Amino acid sequence: GSNRKKNLSFEDNAREDFDYPDMAKEAGQKALADARVPYSAIEQACVGYVYGDSTCGQRAIYHSLGLTGIPIINVNNNCSTGSTALFMARQLIQGGLAECVLALGFEKMERGSLSSKYMDRTNPMDKHMEVMINRYGMSAAPAAPQMFGNAGREHMEKYGTKPEHFAKIAWKNHKHSTNNPYSQFQEEYSLQQVMKSRKVFEFLTLLQCCPTSDGAGAAVLASEAFVRRHGLEGQAVEILAQEMVTDLSTTFEENSCMKMVGYDMSRLAAKKCFEASGLKPRNVDVVELHDCFSANELITYEALGLCPEGQAGELIDRGDNTYGGKFVVNPSGGLISKGHPLGATGLAQCAELCWQLRGQADRRQVPGAKVALQHNIGLGGAVVVTLYRMGFPEEARSLVGAIPTSSVSSLEGFKAYPVFQEINRKLQEDGEEYVKKIGAVFAFNVKNGPDGKEGLLVVDVKNGKGCISTDPDCTVAIDDEDLLALMTGKLNPQTAFYQGKLKLSGNLSMALKLQNLQMSAGKAKL
């Protein structure tokens, strides 16, 4: 039972008065628009956040996306919260319990390092801390950089890795972020600047640590049947394999800080994903992994099988973690520069990888990315590893060069352009009448325009007065020339359909209402 992931959006903002309901609204609305799915189609929602009172998930959804009474489940799994929401949403679909589920994650964070909130009960990470104290003792630095920093220190002792290797990771991620408009920081630093920035713990400097961030991310998950029924194959990304692993006995029994911060969890989750998908690490093109600190990115290369144990330093020196190398790791800039709003991170990684696979990542596009790997970890603990690829590669190719848009002007130069101008004008005049008569949203995938260009335009004759918008009930694929003939009554729709000039997907009963939109050549009436 494969299931399809479509989506997406990640909003990371340090805007004034931008509270979690605002962030969630923006990410949720963008994900739904991208998926071309109305909120009313969502059957359940899994919402993740770490800091906040219970039921923030409901508050985030109710007044921004809708009050449809669906189950909304609040999820909290430390830094792996976002991918835990994704994991739950996928399980609901995989198990056949729902066909379309929203995974949403957000975080509004306090300044400074993470700290415990409850002092009157057992800290869930007390046994993890014990491992570190037994091995390296405890210093006055904040807990998180200390735990991950000690894991890096252990790697250096064991394999001869140098502080430069960790700094090179942060240098790379900051460099990648300059191409990511969603990144909290988009500045490039030299290797020297990374190494000379303020020390946080041992070799870990400020520019090797993720910042405090606010933000939200969202993804829409749907079954294969749902995707086909709604004609969404062109952009559907498939979750090939996904595993969640929690701590194993080795986390606590081997006095290893690398294992204490989840090395074995990551290794087992990745191994299971590769086994389930039949792929090997060498098949992966692009990776978003959990670089809360440069030390974690380095040890995770080995845990995921991107290189043999002990050889992360060589992988870094060869440039096999960036453009032109074997893998592009954290093209988004990673947590180090993109930011790490805990509940949103796993969904931000998911969004980035979907954009990469669809070829929509703009200046940070990994050329020819076909297989993507996501790694999201939270201490205490859980790790989620996910493998993605396009769900219908044969359909996806037709997207390249298409202009997904909601404005008429994008079809300028097309023969059918006047048709849409006229439809737009008519809707502004008598929109309500047409909405009553038709009540559907149509997408026109217009092929063979000027210079062989494709255009995508969505005509909404369902909501309000109607408009040119997103979210179709029915998609019409047709050549530019034939569309003009069809809409001016020179080509009979039935004939066009039987001759294969007109392809329809989605709700076909709606397609029959298309004739109501026809214009006569002379009078150019709708």
Side-chain angles (χ1 to χ4, degrees), residues 192-243:
Q192 280 311 101
Q193 284 175 299
V194 173
M195 295 190 76
K196 293 210 152 74
S197 59
R198 178 167 70 76
K199 267 199 175 359
V200 175
F201 174 74
E202 293 278 323
F203 61 90
L204 279 183
T205 59
L206 192 64
L207 289 173
Q208 296 181 59
C209 304
C210 62
T212 300
S213 325
D214 291 345
V220 176
L221 286 92
S223 66
E224 185 163 347
F226 183 98
V227 169
R228 288 189 187 278
R229 213 165 49 243
H230 293 84
L232 300 168
E233 294 93 337
Q235 60 171 13
V237 173
E238 179 178 4
I239 295 180
L240 277 180
Q242 185 177 54
E243 296 287 342

Side-chain angles (χ1 to χ4, degrees), residues 79 112-114 141-152 165-167 169-170 172-174 200-201 203-212 261 289-301 330 333-337 340 342 375 377 379:
C79 303
S113 299
L114 301 178
Q146 195 169 165
M147 292 167 95
F148 285 101
N150 279 323
H165 288 122
F166 298 100
I169 286 175
K172 160 191 75 83
N173 288 352
H174 283 293
V200 175
F201 174 74
F203 61 90
L204 279 183
T205 59
L206 192 64
L207 289 173
Q208 296 181 59
C209 304
C210 62
T212 300
V261 297
L289 73 75
H290 198 93
D291 59 317
C292 45
F293 302 92
S294 57
N296 201 40
E297 179 162 329
L298 185 139
I299 66 174
T300 303
Y301 293 161
N330 287 331
L335 282 53
I336 285 175
S337 24
H340 181 27
L342 312 189
H375 164 268
I377 194 167
L379 295 190

Side-chain angles (χ1 to χ4, degrees), residues 245-373:
V245 173
T246 57
D247 283 296
L248 303 153
S249 60
T250 51
T251 302
F252 307 104
E253 285 168 4
E254 298 187 12
N255 249 354
S256 156
C257 284
M258 279 164 56
K259 296 194 170 187
M260 179 269 292
V261 297
Y263 183 88
D264 283 357
M265 288 199 274
S266 295
R267 187 171 62 179
L268 182 60
K271 181 172 169 276
K272 287 171 130 184
C273 275
F274 286 120
E275 278 168 10
S277 64
L279 295 172
K280 300 267 184 289
R282 64 165 184 274
N283 301 128
V284 172
D285 302 301
V286 57
V287 183
E288 280 286 313
L289 73 75
H290 198 93
D291 59 317
C292 45
F293 302 92
S294 57
N296 201 40
E297 179 162 329
L298 185 139
I299 66 174
T300 303
Y301 293 161
E302 297 174 13
L304 297 176
L306 304 184
C307 66
E309 256 179 54
Q311 290 181 26
E314 288 145 64
L315 178 144
I316 293 162
D317 291 337
R318 283 196 306 272
D320 272 342
N321 56 1
T322 187
Y323 297 86
K326 220 187 258 183
F327 312 100
V328 180
V329 181
N330 287 331
S332 65
L335 282 53
I336 285 175
S337 24
K338 186 181 72 227
H340 181 27
L342 312 189
T345 287
L347 288 152
Q349 292 176 321
C350 165
E352 175 67 29
L353 293 175
C354 287
W355 290 326
Q356 289 286 352
L357 291 172
R358 291 177 182 172
Q360 296 173 333
D362 211 27
R363 287 184 306 167
R364 58 186 194 284
Q365 183 62 49
V366 175
K370 299 240 178 334
V371 176
L373 183 150

Side-chain angles (χ1 to χ4, degrees), residues 69-86:
I70 59 167
I72 297 175
I73 298 153
N74 293 273
V75 184
N76 178 344
N77 238 0
N78 258 359
C79 303
S80 62
T81 293
S83 60
T84 300
L86 191 66

Side-chain angles (χ1 to χ4, degrees), residues 83-149:
S83 60
T84 300
L86 191 66
F87 178 83
M88 288 179 68
R90 173 175 183 258
Q91 281 195 320
L92 289 168
I93 287 164
Q94 210 182 12
L97 303 174
E99 280 211 295
C100 188
V101 180
L102 176 68
L104 176 66
F106 52 79
E107 208 68 58
K108 184 180 169 76
M109 295 181 69
E110 296 174 338
R111 296 267 145 242
S113 299
L114 301 178
S115 61
S116 300
K117 292 276 166 280
Y118 298 99
M119 299 307 171
D120 62 342
R121 61 204 71 184
T122 303
N123 183 314
M125 275 155 57
D126 60 347
K127 301 287 185 200
H128 296 76
M129 296 299 277
E130 228 167 83
V131 172
M132 181 182 81
I133 293 163
N134 288 344
R135 177 138 191 171
Y136 291 116
M138 182 85 179
S139 66
Q146 195 169 165
M147 292 167 95
F148 285 101

